[in-house]
Amino acid sequence: MPPTLRTARLLLTPYTPDDEDAFVALFQDTRVSRWMGDGPSPEADDRALFGRIFSKVYARDLFDVWAVRRAGRLVGHAEIKRTDAVDGHEIVYALAPGAWGSGLGTELAEALVAYGFETLGLTEVHATVAAGNEASLRLLGRIGFEHVRDIEEDDGGLTRVLTACPRSLRARSGPPCDRPR
C-alpha cells in the first residue's frame, strides 16, 4: 500500500472500496479521460480498472496509486510507476474539472516528483503527455520538466516525453539529466 502523502491542500491516500463511484465518475468525465491512456472507456471498464487497483496493484505491491482528496472529497487520481515507454518511473495524475485552475495540479505533480526523488530514490522522473494537452505541458514545464523526445502513437497521435531530475528542478535550466537520450 502506498503511504499517505500531504500537501498544503491535498491528501493522497490509498483508495478504499467506498471510492469506486467517485473514481468511475472522474474517469467517465471526458474532459479528464480524453488525456488518460487511450481516452474514454466504457463505465464497466473503469469499474474493472478500479477493482484491479485492489486485486493486482495493491495486492502485489506493483506501484503506488493514490486517491487525491481535498476537504475529504475525492478530487483526483495519482500514480508513480515504472514504465518501459520511458525506461524509468512516470508520474500520472488527473484532477476533476472542479479542481482545475487553482494550482492543485501543480501541488499534486510536485508531491509526486518529490516522492519519487526523496522516497523512491529516483534520479529522474518522467511524464508522458499528449501533445494537445497544453495545460499539463505548461504545468510540468513550470516545475522543471524538460521535453526530451516524442512518441508517435499507432493512431497517429503524438505523445511528449518530459523528464525532470533533482538538478533541473533546482536550476530550471539546461538538460534535465546527464543521461544521454
Side-chain angles (χ1 to χ4, degrees):
M1 290 294 245
T4 295
L5 304 179
R6 294 178 193 281
T7 71
R9 299 176 290 168
L10 298 172
L11 183 64
L12 283 68
T13 64
Y15 280 101
T16 69
D18 291 340
D19 293 323
E20 182 174 358
D21 289 339
F23 174 92
V24 170
L26 176 70
F27 281 79
Q28 284 294 294
D29 189 320
T30 57
R31 296 169 293 177
V32 175
S33 62
R34 69 183 285 206
W35 304 117
M36 304 296 293
D38 294 326
S41 298
E43 181 179 335
D45 291 357
D46 289 337
R47 289 194 185 280
L49 175 62
F50 184 78
R52 285 192 302 276
I53 290 172
F54 296 95
S55 66
K56 291 188 178 179
V57 177
Y58 289 162
R60 298 179 189 165
D61 196 26
L62 296 178
F63 54 91
D64 294 311
V65 178
W66 294 273
V68 179
R69 302 177 196 286
R70 182 169 190 211
R73 207 176 101 246
L74 191 137
V75 297
H77 171 85
E79 308 175 7
I80 188 166
K81 62 184 177 183
R82 175 106 176 72
T83 178
D84 291 337
V86 297
D87 191 26
H89 282 74
E90 172 183 18
I91 62 170
V92 177
Y93 58 90
L95 287 172
W100 294 355
S102 61
L104 292 175
T106 300
E107 201 170 306
L108 176 56
E110 287 177 333
L112 293 172
V113 170
Y115 177 78
F117 292 142
E118 296 165 13
T119 302
L120 299 180
L122 303 176
T123 58
E124 55 187 18
V125 173
H126 307 278
T128 56
V129 181
N133 189 346
E134 295 175 11
S136 278
L137 291 169
R138 280 191 309 273
L139 181 158
L140 292 167
R142 278 193 314 270
I143 67 169
F145 277 78
E146 299 281 338
H147 174 247
V148 294
R149 67 183 168 94
D150 292 329
I151 299 170
E152 187 172 337
E153 302 295 343
D154 292 338
D155 66 1
L158 197 62
T159 297
R160 305 255 186 244
V161 176
L162 299 106
T163 300
C165 65
R167 187 187 75 239
S168 68
L169 295 176
R170 286 190 304 272
R172 302 205 195 263
S173 64
C177 302
D178 295 326
R179 184 168 70 111
R181 300 275 165 232

